[in-house]
Amino acid sequence: MIRTLVATAAALFTAGALAGTDVNTATKAELEALRGIGPVQANLILNEREKGKFKDWNDFKARLKGVGPTASTRYSEAGLTINGASYRGATMKTS
């Protein structure tokens, strides 16, 4: 019984981690939960998103000062997606 519960919980956690956190729908808390995004960056993302949803990673980088390929890769590896897409070149970590 306990094994089944643990296996189910692990499967749900893995599925959630693989699904990613979409920048266009994430709450402030969800953004802050991603490694590398703190309260200041989360606020910048949300303020920019109020002007319109992010179209893609190029739009995201263009609208957020200081976010380039390195930060985009780091955010994507932490689970951030834009319209379901990871940043090119990022390797999704499963652990």
Side-chain angles (χ1 to χ4, degrees), residues 26-91:
T27 64
K28 182 178 181 188
E30 290 170 332
L31 290 171
E32 289 177 5
L34 297 173
R35 185 179 183 140
I37 298 179
V40 172
Q41 191 66 22
N43 281 333
L44 291 172
I45 291 169
L46 293 174
N47 289 339
E48 207 44 53
R49 188 174 77 190
E50 286 180 9
K51 299 174 186 174
K53 290 187 175 188
F54 295 99
K55 295 181 274 185
D56 53 29
W57 281 96
N58 287 331
D59 183 35
F60 182 77
K61 292 186 300 182
R63 291 168 54 187
L64 291 169
K65 184 178 179 179
V67 175
T70 302
S72 295
T73 298
R74 188 173 62 247
Y75 295 163
S76 186
E77 287 176 346
L80 189 68
T81 63
I82 299 178
N83 300 317
S86 299
Y87 185 68
R88 61 176 165 62
T91 8

